[in-house]
Amino acid sequence: MSIPALSPPRSAFQAYVAEWLRNPRGDVLSGILVALALIPEAIAFSIIAGVDPQVGLYASFIIAIVIAFVGGRPAMISAATGAMALVMTGLVRDHGLQYLFAATILTGVLQLAFGWAGLARYLKFVPRPVMTGFVNALAILIFLAQLPQFAGEGWQMYALLALALAIIYLLPRVFRAVPSPLVAIVVVSLIAYFAHADVRTVGDMGRLPTALPLLSLPQVPLTLETLGIVFPVALTLSLVGLLESLLTAQLVDERTDTTSDKNTESRGQGVANVITGLFGGMAGCAMIGQSMINVGSGGRGRLSTFVAGVFLLLLILVMQPLLVQIPMAALVAVMIMVSIGTFDWGSLRTLARYPRGETLVMLSTVAVTVATHDLSKGVLVGVVLSALLFARQVSRLSRVSHEDAPDGTRTYHVSGQLFFVSTHDFVHSFDLDRPVTRVVIDLTGAHLWDGSAVAALDKVRSRFAARGLPVELVGLNAASETLLDRLTAGGPVGGH
């Protein structure tokens, strides 16, 4: 009987090559669609930041091309984003464009440092309700961002929008060879052009660049004063960018049932922003909307991100006469499709079944994000609220019961987790006026987590001692005993 030979494991290089070549047709088509959707977004985010549209467009194609090579999440799209643009506005207004380029380079350096430090592992502290709220808030923001496109528009805009949506949702029932959003953009553009429709087009969004950006260092003084100006902005940009990128990577992981290296992604974002700043672009990060377009249209590999960046460049420099003719109605239809597809509709059906605390966290994340238009603030509020609710829930699991022995000894049995939230009820669980001769506190089923727990235990012992009652502690596990010995070595802990 022969034993079949085991195939050797793939090398890291082979795995990397597979991330480029596993799905070439789907990646190329989805990348083209993403490039079209990037145009109005990049221009709009440039306007938000207070810079020329070419700054956002330069950033978008540079970041997409670079991250395709060095990122840790294949098929994820990174470019100029609204969350990052909001952070830049004050710096651009007060100090000018060159300081923005300096802050962008420093942002990349900080993200490289965070990536090498492995900070991505803290993503596990973002609870599921926060992730759900993050996704739902993003879907709402994507939809709300399309509403200004309807201002002052007539019936032709609505007719073209309805046609585009019909193609997007109905065409896949009979034809799937080409992504339906791409077909919708082509068909609607042709109709608008030949019918001379009076609708807003990409060309109405702003001036597009006509040449490649040049490599240059930011023209700022290399002084501590400059560092003091750009560092706070760069630190905020790096944290916001990594948070949005890592959460987007997590979402793409779930949508594609794959895994990705989050620390590699962090370093990749850093490299992309350093290069972007050197070529006159604004800082960027992962884009959930465009990433969902890419994945939903069949993009799975690095090639899709690369094609998005390269085709965006071709659109701007080579096919600009065609690009400016695309009606905004077609691109708005694509983004509405993205918002509908991104929203977790199942979360609405399960609101009544989920614990009230989780529902509160999800709704709070959505509300704060939509109110501030800042995904990082919404996630921060959701994480803090989750932590508080978790601490409150765990604190209720601690219990103190007692039993009396014939010799006058009262034994208190403590169970659960003792930390800063649960110590108040713990201290008031002991009957100090009970006529007993000796007190035993059995901590076999308990664990001391922090100085507050040690201080509370010390307070209980001191109160019994003030009444002339000795207290014996039994059942401490090794970790709790070590903490107790270390914190009480110099005397009582906390006030009495």
Side-chain angles (χ1 to χ4, degrees):
M1 177 180 174
S2 61
I3 300 177
L6 296 176
S7 59
R10 291 195 304 175
S11 66
F13 176 74
Q14 289 173 321
Y16 181 78
V17 171
E19 291 176 349
W20 280 91
L21 303 177
R22 68 176 57 158
N23 179 39
R25 180 180 173 280
D27 286 346
V28 169
L29 291 175
S30 61
I32 291 173
L33 177 61
V34 168
L36 292 168
L38 277 173
I39 297 286
E41 298 282 295
I43 296 174
F45 298 150
S46 299
I47 295 171
I48 290 173
V51 299
D52 194 85
Q54 69 180 15
V55 176
L57 291 169
Y58 284 160
S60 292
F61 74 74
I62 292 172
I63 293 174
I65 291 173
V66 172
I67 207 69
F69 289 94
V70 299
R73 172 63 261 182
M76 189 167 75
I77 305 299
S78 294
T81 66
M84 301 286 269
L86 288 170
V87 179
M88 305 170 188
T89 53
L91 180 65
V92 174
R93 182 186 63 247
D94 298 336
H95 300 283
L97 188 59
Q98 294 298 321
Y99 280 84
L100 172 60
F101 297 153
T104 297
I105 294 172
L106 184 55
T107 295
V109 172
L110 291 173
Q111 290 178 329
L112 276 168
F114 292 152
W116 285 114
L119 296 185
R121 63 180 177 270
Y122 295 109
L123 185 64
K124 63 185 178 183
F125 292 108
V126 179
R128 180 70 186 180
V130 177
M131 280 290 295
T132 303
F134 170 79
V135 170
N136 289 347
L138 177 74
I140 295 171
L141 289 178
I142 291 173
F143 180 81
L144 293 177
Q146 311 314 309
L147 298 183
Q149 301 299 334
F150 294 92
E153 291 293 315
W155 67 269
Q156 293 174 318
M157 165 71 170
Y158 293 93
L160 291 176
L161 175 66
L163 174 61
L165 288 173
I167 294 173
I168 288 171
Y169 285 107
L170 298 179
L171 183 63
R173 299 184 180 184
V174 296
F175 181 75
R176 291 180 173 272
V178 180
S180 61
L182 186 57
V183 176
I185 291 174
V186 173
V187 171
V188 170
S189 298
L190 290 173
I191 292 175
Y193 177 78
F194 287 108
H196 302 288
D198 183 19
V199 293
R200 187 182 292 117
T201 65
V202 170
D204 298 322
M205 293 290 291
R207 184 172 64 90
L208 302 181
T210 57
L212 287 171
L214 300 176
L215 174 65
S216 64
L217 290 173
Q219 302 301 305
V220 297
L222 299 179
T223 63
L224 290 177
E225 181 182 0
T226 299
L227 181 62
I229 292 171
V230 301
F231 182 80
V233 178
L235 180 61
T236 304
L237 286 171
S238 62
L239 293 175
V240 170
L242 285 183
L243 177 62
E244 191 161 349
S245 297
L246 296 180
L247 289 177
T248 303
Q250 185 78 12
L251 181 60
V252 175
D253 286 352
E254 294 179 3
R255 294 293 173 93
T256 60
D257 196 23
T258 57
T259 59
S260 58
D261 189 330
K262 305 302 186 296
N263 288 318
T264 298
E265 182 61 39
S266 299
R267 296 191 293 270
Q269 293 289 332
V271 172
N273 278 318
V274 169
I275 295 176
T276 299
L278 291 173
F279 280 94
M282 57 196 281
C285 63
M287 305 181 76
I288 295 188
Q290 273 65 23
S291 297
M292 290 301 99
I293 292 175
N294 193 38
V295 172
S297 301
R300 290 296 182 271
R302 294 179 182 272
L303 183 60
S304 62
T305 307
F306 179 76
V307 168
V310 171
F311 194 71
L312 175 60
L313 178 60
L314 291 175
L315 285 172
I316 295 171
L317 299 184
V318 180
M319 294 182 280
Q320 192 170 133
L322 296 177
L323 172 64
V324 297
Q325 300 296 329
I326 297 177
M328 290 304 301
L331 298 178
V332 168
V334 173
M335 298 311 296
I336 290 176
M337 175 206 72
V338 172
S339 66
I340 294 173
T342 301
F343 196 90
D344 185 356
W345 298 99
S347 63
L348 298 181
R349 294 192 296 269
T350 58
L351 280 178
R353 300 201 304 268
Y354 268 64
R356 284 181 297 177
E358 292 190 13
T359 299
L360 176 63
V361 168
M362 191 269 283
L363 295 178
S364 298
T365 303
V366 172
V368 173
T369 302
V370 173
T372 63
H373 285 230
D374 189 335
L375 293 168
S376 62
K377 287 187 175 67
V379 171
L380 178 62
V381 168
V383 170
V384 171
L385 185 57
S386 292
L388 293 175
L389 291 174
F390 175 76
R392 179 171 176 267
Q393 184 177 7
V394 171
S395 70
R396 294 176 174 178
L397 300 179
S398 61
R399 295 286 185 273
V400 178
S401 59
H402 66 269
E403 60 178 347
D404 297 318
D407 63 357
T409 298
R410 166 166 280 201
T411 301
Y412 289 93
H413 298 281
V414 182
S415 62
Q417 314 303 312
L418 298 181
F419 61 113
F420 66 97
V421 176
S422 58
T423 54
H424 179 270
D425 292 340
F426 171 78
V427 169
H428 293 87
S429 299
F430 297 87
D431 187 356
L432 301 176
D433 299 321
R434 180 81 175 184
V436 296
T437 59
R438 178 169 168 265
V439 173
V440 176
I441 300 180
D442 183 2
L443 295 154
T444 302
H447 186 92
L448 308 182
W449 284 103
D450 57 12
S452 297
V454 173
L457 186 59
D458 192 52
K459 180 181 292 187
V460 171
R461 289 195 295 178
S462 297
R463 288 180 175 180
F464 277 120
R467 289 165 172 74
L469 293 173
V471 176
E472 179 183 359
L473 302 181
V474 298
L476 276 170
N477 59 41
S480 299
E481 187 170 7
T482 299
L483 180 65
L484 181 66
D485 291 342
R486 185 170 76 247
L487 295 184
T488 58
V493 178
H496 306 307

